[in-house]
Amino acid sequence: MADSGNKRELEAKVLQKVAEVISAIKTAKHVDQVISALHSLAVLLFPVDASIIAECVGQSYRDQILSSRLPSKSERLECWNAFYNGAAFSALSQALLPELASSWLACFPFLAKKHLYDIFFVDGPAIEVAQNLVPCLQPNASDGVDVRAVRSNTERLIVLCLLEKDGVLQMAKEFGESCKYENFVTIPAISQVAQIVTSIPDKAQSKASNSLSSHSFFKQITNQLLSLAEAEDFKYIDLDGTMMFVGETFSRICRRGSTDLLLNELIPRIMKHVHDVLMSNAHSTVSDVFESSPNSQFWLKIMETIKDNYAIEKISEQLLHQLATKCESDVDAYWVLWLLFHRSLRSRMSVRSILVDKFLFWKVFPIHCLRWLLQFAILECPPDGNCLKKGHSNSSLLMTVQRLVEVWSKKDFVQSATLEQQAYISAAVGLSLELMSKEELDETKTVMPSILQGVSCRLENPNQWIRKMASNVALVFSKVIDPKNPLYLDDSCMGDIIDWEFGLTTRKKENIDCMIGAQTTTLVQKKEATDAAKLGTGHNIRSKNKNIWEFKLADPDEIVDPASLNCGSISEDDNESDISDSSSDSSLQPYDLSDDDTDLKKKLSHLVDVVGSLRKSDDVEGVERALDVSEKLIRASPDELRHVASDLVRTLIQIRCSDIAVEGEEDSTEDKRQRALVALVVMCPVESLNILNKLLYSPNVDTSQRIMILDIMTDAAQELSNTKVMKPKHRSRTLIATTAETQPWFLPSSKGPPGAGSWKEISGTGTLPNWSNSYERELPLKPSHVKRGKTRRWSLRSANMQDNEMELSHNKFPGHAAAFMLPAMQGFDKKRHGVDLLNRDFIVLGKLIYMLGVCMKCAAMHPEASVLAPPLLDMLRSSEVSHHKEAYVRRAVLFAASCILIAIHPSYVVSSLLEGNVEISEGLEWVRTWSLHVADSDPDRECYMMAMTCLQLHSEMALQTTRALESSNSPFKAKSIALSSDLSKGTIKIPFSDVKY
C-alpha cells in the first residue's frame, strides 16, 4: 500500500509541475521563458545537457538553467514512469502540439527544438506518443491555432518517432512487455493502437513528406515488424502481446488495400527461412524442425493472431499469386503455406473454408497454385518433387472430389461461369481424379454419373476450350476405370501428360512455341533435302534393282514377253539394258484398257443432269462429278436455273458428304456443296430462299444441316451486298479541236496509214433522227492480207468498251432482305418436333441471330433496314433471347443489336419521332439499357466487351440523331406536329453518364 501511495503522490507532484509549465507557456512574453519552463520539467525526466540548452537562451535565463538541480537516475526513472503512465503527458501534449507549435516553436533554436522539445516524444513510450500525436494531424481550426503549422510539426514528429526511431517496432515490444509483467493489455486496446498507426497516411497532408505516403509508410512499418522474426531478443519477449499487435497491424494494412505491398516484404523473408531449413535438415522431419526452431515461431504464429477473415483471405490470395511468380519449387511453396496456415487450418473452420471452398470453387489461380492448394489443404502431406502425392488419409480427397464434380457437372455452371473459372474447376477435377483408384471411385456413388453428365453437356458446347475440358476429364476418368483403354475424345489429348491449362497460354509462351516450330521445320526441311540427295545417287539404283528382282506369283494365263526373260546378268550395265529392253514396245504385251471407260462417262452440262446425278447416292463418282461442276453451271445462269433451283437446293442440302467423300477430304467436298448452295441463293434468290426457309424449321433435317443453311444465307447476303457492276467511265474531252489542217473542223483528221482514202459522210441506219455525223474511209490492205480492208467508223465513243468501263460495287441485297429475314424470324420461339431453338438447339439460335445481324449490316443505310429493324428488335427484346443462359446466344444478340445501330440512318429516327412513331426509339432505348445491364452483370468477358461497343455505337447514333433533329428543315415543322408530347416518349439517351467503368 505504501508503494501505491508513493506512486500516487509522485504522479500528483509531476502533474502539478506540468500545470506550472503550461501556465508559464501561456503567460510567456519571450521564447526564452518558454525554453526555461520546458527545461525545468525535462530535467526531471531526461538526462538533458544543460550547457546545450543554456546556449539557446539569453543571459538572464542562462544562469537559471545552469544552476538547476539534477535528479539521480532512479529518481528520474520514477518521474518518467509517473509522467507517461499518468495524465501528465497527455496534458502537456495539448500545450506542446497545438498551442506551442503554432505560436512559439518557429522561434526555437535548432538545438532547443531537438534536445528540449522533441525529447518529450522521442524518448517517450511509442504507444503513448502515437496516441497523442496522430489526433493532431487534423486539428480543429476553431481553437485559434495555425492549422498548417500544427500539422507540419506533427508530421515531422511522426516521421521522427515512428519511422526513423523504429517506433512501431517499439510498440510491438511494449505490448509484449506489458503482457509479460502487468497483464493488463486487452485486444481492443491493441486494435485501437493498430488502427491509429495505419490511419496516418490517410490523415497526412497531400504535400506531406513522401515517408508518410501509404506505399512508403506501410513498407517501412512492415519491415520493422518483420524484423522481429530474426531478432535475437525475440525469445525474451512475450509473444502474445507482440504478435497480437503485429497481426492487428497487418490486418489494418490489408483493409486499406496494401496487401500486395505487405507480401512483397514478407515472401522473400519466409522463402529464405524455408530454404535454409530445407537445405540444412535434409535427413530430419521438416515439420519437427520448424516447430522446434526459435526463428520459426514468428511465422508459425503470425497468421494465427490475425482474426480478421477478410485480411486472411486477401493475404492468402495474394500470397498464392506472388508465389506463382517467385517460387519455382512445389516443395518450397508447400512449406511456406504450412508455416503460415497449418495451425489455423486445423483450429479455425473459417480458414479452411477460405482455402478449400473459396479458393477451389470461387477463385481462379494458376495451375501450379491449384496443385499447392490440393497438396496442402486436401492431401495434407509434402509433395513428391513437383508431383502431387497422396497422404495416409484420403477422406478429404474423396469428399472434395464429390463436391468438385457436383459443381462441374451442372449445366448452369457451364452457362454462367467464365471460361477461366470453368478451366480452373476442370483442372481441379482432373488433378484430383489422377490421384484416385478405381476402388476409391466405387466408394463414391455420385462421381461417375456426374462426370458423364458434365462431359456430355460440354461436348455439345460451341466453344472449343470447353469441349477440350470435357475431353481431358473424360481421358483421366477412363484411365481410372480402365488404365489399358484410355478414352481419347480429342486428337490433342494424345500422350500421358495432360495439359490442364487447356492451351490457354500466354503470348510469351506462344512466341516461344512459334520459334521452336520454326526451328523444327528447318530441321525437317534439311532432312528432306538430304534424303532427296541420297535418292539421286546409288540409293536410287538399288531401289530400281530391288523392284526388278521383286518376287511375283506366276499367272498361268499371263502373256509373257520373251524379251523380259533375258535378265540373267547381275551387273549394273546388264540391268540397265534389261530395263531398256523391257520398256520397249512389243506386240506380245497386253493392251491397257483402263482408260477406255472415260468416253463412256457422261459429261454433265445441264443442271437437270446435275440434279439426277446428285440423287443417285449409290453412284459416288457421279455425285462427286456433279459437285465439281455444279457451282460453275449455276453461276452461268442458264435458262433452266429458275425451274430446277428448288429441287437443286433440296438435293444439295440432303447430301451426306461424309458418305461420298474420300477419308480425309470431307472438308473439301463440304466446301464444294456449300459454294454451290451460295451460288444458288445469289443467282436465284426467290426460289432458293423459299426452300431454305422451309427446311430451316423442318423436322427432316438435323442440327448440322440447320447450321449449314444459316451459314449459306449469311454468305449469300454478304456476296449480294458486294456485287460488282461495270459502269462507263466519264472522260472529259474537248469536242471542238483546233487543227492546223485546212479541212473543216467537223471532219475527222486525215492522219492515217499511207494510201488511206478520204473521209465520206454516211447516213445513219436508225429510225430516229441522228444529231451526230458519221464518216468512213477506205484503208489499204496490210502486207499479209489478201482481202479488202475493213471500214473503220469514227464517232465520239470508243469501240473498246473495257477501256471505258470501271468496276463499281452495287448492293443487290436490300431488295431481297425481307425474303432473307422475315421467314427466318417467324416461329423461332415455337417448339416443334426436332426443333427447340430456345433450349436444346441454342447453337442454331445463335447462328440465326448472327445471320439476321449480318443481313441488317448488308442493308445498312437503305430504306429496307429501317423497315426490318423493328421486328428484329422485337425478337431480340424477348426475355428468352436477350437473357438466354448461354453466353453464345447473348453474344449473337449483342452483335445483331450493334448491326442495327450501324444500319439505321439517323434521319429515319428523326422522321419517326416527328411523325409520332416511337417504336424505333423505344427499341433503341432498350438496346442502351440492356447493354448497360450486360456490362454490369454478365459473367462472360466477351459479352462485356461487346456491350461496351454497343453502348459506344448507341451514343454515336444518339448524337447524330440529336444533330439531325436540331437542324430539321421547315417542311417538318410545317406539319404542326406536337413534338412536346410525342418526343418525350421517344428519347434517346447518351449513356456516357450512366456507364460504370
Side-chain angles (χ1 to χ4, degrees), residues 713-714 716-718 721 811 813-814 816-821 848-860 865 868 872 895 899 903:
M713 296 173 69
T714 303
Q718 292 175 334
S721 65
N811 192 350
F813 176 76
H816 305 287
F820 271 81
M821 298 177 62
L848 171 62
I849 297 173
Y850 174 77
M851 185 272 293
L852 295 174
V854 172
C855 290
M856 286 298 302
K857 195 173 181 180
C858 292
L868 295 171
L872 179 56
F895 171 77
C899 292

Side-chain angles (χ1 to χ4, degrees), residues 243-289:
M243 296 307 299
M244 279 193 294
F245 175 73
V246 174
E248 283 295 325
T249 303
F250 285 174
S251 298
R252 300 289 177 176
I253 291 176
C254 294
R255 282 281 182 180
R256 294 182 179 273
S258 297
T259 310
D260 54 343
L261 187 148
L262 169 67
L263 290 172
N264 283 336
E265 306 301 321
L266 183 146
I267 289 178
R269 296 172 184 262
I270 191 172
M271 285 184 62
K272 182 179 181 300
H273 176 67
V274 168
H275 187 70
D276 293 342
V277 172
L278 294 178
M279 292 296 292
S280 58
N281 298 275
H283 302 289
S284 304
T285 304
V286 181
S287 58
D288 295 339
V289 175

